[in-house]
Amino acid sequence: MALVKRRRYQLESSSEPLEVIVRGLDVLNEPLLNKGTAFTEEERDALGLRGLVPPKVTDIDEQITRVMENYRRKTDPLEKFIFLTSLHDRNETLYYKVLTENLMEMTPIVYTPVVGAACQQFGHIYRKNRGMYISLHDKGRIREMFDNWNQDEIDIIVISDGSRILGLGDLGANGMGIPIGKLALYVAGGGIYPCKTLPILLDMGTNNQELLDDPLYLGIHEKRGDDEEYYEIVDEFVKAAKDRWPKVLIQWEDFTNDHAFPILSKYREDVLCFNDDIQGTGAVALSGLLGGMRMKNEKLADQRIIFYGAGSAAVGIADMIVAGIVEESGMSEVDARKLFWLIDSQGLVVKNGSRPLQEHKVPYARDEEQIKGLHDVIKYVKPTILVGVSGQGQTFTEPIVKEMLNYSDQPIIFALSNPTTKSECTAEQAYRWTAGKAIFASGSPFDPVRMGGKIFVPGQGNNMFIFPGVGLGASLCQASKVTDAMFYMAAKTLAEMVTEEELKLRTVYPDLRKIRSISATIAAAVCKMAFDEGLAGIDEPENILEFVEESMFKPEYPKYVAAEL
Ligand code: NAD
């Protein structure tokens, strides 16, 4: 009978050598432990590695040079994705060191937009297991399955049902690339320990016929079923996750609206969880608007706001701005909502329209008569802020953008739809059509614009500014739930990190290259809010920022010794 030994790896930073309970090839084949050629002479002897790696002992910098040489040789973005994935599967510390040091270059590869292409091809480029899959057929067995995961401490689960992957629709089990990518950003940008992250794909089938017809598709070959069974499995997952990892934070990711909103409202009060598409997007956009308010020296409560698009991003952003207005001015929620006009594919979202409204739109439905076109709604509302979250490219036309100048000398125009081709207008158009007066931000990055001897730097409302800090903060202080007040604090903190120089360049977000210090500062603000709200599960440390910084994972090799067994 073979002796089966459960293995657990806890890669905490420590000045003390870490005791390793496996030896030889098992060490090299475990990405959380592997150092490749960087194992020292002593470690090679202690762990039975002599002869298994080339003789020269290298340091991590030499390994990075080798990785970057290979990475940059690849010209196809999907090949770069596959290359980085295989590094991730081989040596996690090196992967995160490379990712952290080259975040601006690699974020578009490990996350949007290239992760989208990788998800579409998932069954064709699949190499190695990572994370967990729960399918429709696992009903009743989820808790038992979680025992198969060999880590007893998980801080963050990112889970998707693959139903609405980026702007690509239903990708079923192929959606696994998203939780994996998001958690990679959590580790690189937020300093969560890699061994304490768990990506999960909830495979409820897919309605994507192309995938069902693809013999290499790796999910269950079934159409999505009814809602009753769906919510039962989600509930079983939540209970099993809380039982197996009581402190875990669950991040809901890329669910269709009809499930995203009900799931969030069902669990947000009792379970440590949030939805990044709704709340993270809300906070990052709110932060951009607070930056705009700093630039204009005005208050949110004095604005009139049109949203072009009324989906999860729109309602997430609107809810967060409402929370911001309530916090900032003491106005009631009901009154704050009156500052918003939402437009969907049918026109202005109104109470007495010709069709039943989806539930998430109801709080923003207006009493007015239906008005169809965006330009007509603008003329009627006279907005100071126009936010595009429609997924419809080039819909903020020259007459529309110019119209905004009639109602504000510095209109705020956020074209947040992704990818670049779906952006409602470009940065250059917004600045040119308003003679540089617009305060512009976008979902996808745009280059700085030179005009009339001035440089305008458009801000990018990247969710990465917010979710790693919120997740890190809520998890470190063991909050019992994630509240709107925490997201508001995250948004406010981010807006305050924009320097005066950046504001002069008309950018409303700080430099993404500072993401680790941004995440630490946001995490500290989130912790502080949890302590103030009485929701934290630990005692308040004397210096919260120091506590956060000391708790963050740094991609450095620890020293190993063999454990006495
Ligand atoms: P969604 O599908 O939930 O919502 C899209 C909304 O647009 C719906 O209300 C739909 O009715 C409306 N719409 C579609 N066609 C329209 C038209 N012709 N005129 C007016 N409205 C129309 O999608 P979502 O999750 O809300 O995302 C919307 C966009 O926002 C996407 O492009 C996404 O990439 C972007 N987004 C950006 C960020 C960010 O910048 N940080 C974050 C999340 C989403």
Side-chain angles (χ1 to χ4, degrees), residues 88-258:
H88 195 183
D89 291 341
R90 213 164 56 233
N91 181 335
E92 295 225 6
T93 313
L94 182 56
Y95 170 76
Y96 283 114
K97 182 92 174 161
V98 165
L99 187 56
T100 308
E101 289 186 358
N102 301 279
L103 205 60
M104 300 303 283
E105 181 178 349
M106 290 179 176
T107 302
I109 303 291
V110 299
Y111 209 67
T112 178
V114 178
V115 73
C119 285
Q120 286 172 313
Q121 295 294 318
F122 190 76
H124 294 257
I125 62 173
Y126 181 84
R127 305 285 201 274
K128 193 172 184 294
N129 61 295
R130 175 170 292 279
M132 293 194 77
Y133 297 81
I134 299 168
S135 95
L136 207 54
H137 307 302
D138 296 319
K139 200 162 164 225
R141 304 181 54 187
I142 301 177
R143 176 62 189 85
E144 175 197 327
M145 286 161 64
F146 281 163
D147 279 334
N148 294 340
W149 193 255
N150 64 0
Q151 297 292 332
D152 287 340
E153 248 187 81
I154 293 294
D155 286 344
I156 306 209
I157 286 174
V158 175
I159 180 164
S160 178
D161 69 353
S163 57
R164 201 232 56 180
I165 295 301
L166 306 169
L168 303 167
D170 183 354
L171 295 187
N174 283 12
M176 183 52 136
I178 295 296
I180 292 175
K182 206 95 193 203
L183 283 165
L185 299 185
Y186 254 117
V187 176
I192 300 284
Y193 276 83
C195 57
K196 295 185 181 181
T197 66
L198 174 56
I200 298 186
L201 191 285
L202 198 56
D203 183 0
M204 311 297 278
T206 178
N207 294 338
N208 182 331
Q209 196 55 47
E210 223 175 284
L211 292 180
L212 292 172
D213 293 340
D214 180 353
L216 292 188
Y217 175 60
L218 289 166
I220 54 171
H221 281 245
E222 283 174 39
K223 293 243 181 203
R224 291 181 185 271
D226 62 50
D227 269 1
E228 200 181 318
E229 189 169 40
Y230 181 93
Y231 287 117
E232 276 171 19
I233 294 198
V234 170
D235 205 51
E236 187 185 332
F237 152 73
V238 171
K239 290 190 175 119
K242 295 301 294 174
D243 186 62
R244 173 81 169 95
W245 302 287
K247 291 189 297 187
V248 73
L249 181 150
I250 297 169
Q251 183 178 314
W252 311 102
E253 189 71 31
D254 281 4
F255 286 71
T256 46
N257 287 337
D258 55 336

Side-chain angles (χ1 to χ4, degrees), residues 226-329:
D226 62 50
D227 269 1
E228 200 181 318
E229 189 169 40
Y230 181 93
Y231 287 117
E232 276 171 19
I233 294 198
V234 170
D235 205 51
E236 187 185 332
F237 152 73
V238 171
K239 290 190 175 119
K242 295 301 294 174
D243 186 62
R244 173 81 169 95
W245 302 287
K247 291 189 297 187
V248 73
L249 181 150
I250 297 169
Q251 183 178 314
W252 311 102
E253 189 71 31
D254 281 4
F255 286 71
T256 46
N257 287 337
D258 55 336
H259 291 141
F261 284 97
I263 289 175
L264 182 61
S265 56
K266 177 162 182 194
Y267 296 107
R268 61 182 298 167
E269 289 302 320
D270 306 317
V271 175
L272 183 63
C273 70
F274 69 88
N275 180 311
D276 186 50
D277 308 306
I278 300 173
Q279 296 159 289
T281 301
V284 83
L286 169 61
S287 174
L289 292 181
L290 290 172
M293 293 299 107
R294 269 182 72 193
M295 229 181 263
K296 292 171 67 162
N297 202 13
E298 288 181 11
K299 294 223 166 315
L300 281 175
D302 300 324
Q303 310 301 313
R304 287 183 309 283
I305 308 168
I306 289 185
F307 275 82
Y308 189 61
S312 50
V315 172
I317 298 169
D319 282 352
M320 210 54 75
I321 302 173
V322 167
I325 293 173
V326 170
E327 194 79 24
E328 194 186 80
S329 69

